[in-house]
Every structure is written in C-alpha cells, then in structure tokens.
Amino acid sequence: SAQKEVESWWPSPSDDDVDANTAPISFHVTEVYLLERKGDDGQFLRVATIGLGDDGDVQVHDPPEAFPDMPLEEEDWVKEER
C-alpha cells in the first residue's frame, strides 16, 4: 500500500541506528499533481490537480502550469548535482 511505501522512507524506533524518541510522521494529503517535463533542462509543470476524498475534483491545467515561484529553467547548480 502507499502508506507502507511512505513509512519505509523513514526509520522506525525499532531500527538500531534510530533514537528511541523518534516520533512517527503523519500528514494529511488533500490533492496530488500529475506532472510533465519536457527535456532534461525543463522544470516540472502541473498538467492536472487531482483532489482526494469525497469532495475531490480534477482540475486540468491547459496549458500546463509551473508551481508558484518555481523558475522555468533549472539553475546551473541543479544540473551539476544530477
């Protein structure tokens, strides 16, 4: 399940290298995004916003939209780290 996948990203208190005071994480997700990226130098753009739950709806972004304050092109340091 998705929950088990997400939980596998964080160590649990039963792991040897984790402090016993490590608290589990929890968060509420209200929507997810369908993304597209054209080419190696492009940024990810939102093609659709998919609401979750009983009141969730799908909003199609045509044309696709960048996230607010996200640069349209990768900065050089990002390319160097890949």
Side-chain angles (χ1 to χ4, degrees), residues 20-36:
N21 294 322
T22 301
I25 64 163
S26 177
F27 51 90
H28 182 74
V29 178
T30 58
E31 61 189 20
V32 294
Y33 304 108
L34 178 63
L35 304 176
E36 86 171 2

Side-chain angles (χ1 to χ4, degrees), residues 1-2 6 8 12 14 19 28 31-32 34 36 39 41 43 48 54 56 62 64 73 75-76 78:
S1 75
V6 171
S8 73
S12 68
S14 63
D19 185 336
H28 182 74
E31 61 189 20
V32 294
L34 178 63
E36 86 171 2
D41 297 331
Q43 289 289 18
D54 294 337
D62 187 18
E73 294 186 18
E75 295 183 19
D76 289 335
V78 175

Side-chain angles (χ1 to χ4, degrees), residues 41-45 66-75 77-78:
D41 297 331
Q43 289 289 18
F44 289 98
L45 300 175
F67 287 95
D69 301 322
M70 179 68 89
L72 295 178
E73 294 186 18
E74 285 183 328
E75 295 183 19
W77 72 268
V78 175

Side-chain angles (χ1 to χ4, degrees), residues 11 15 18 22 30 35-36 47-51 57 66 68 72-73 79:
D15 292 341
V18 176
T22 301
T30 58
L35 304 176
E36 86 171 2
V47 175
T49 301
I50 304 167
D57 63 341
L72 295 178
E73 294 186 18
K79 293 178 187 178

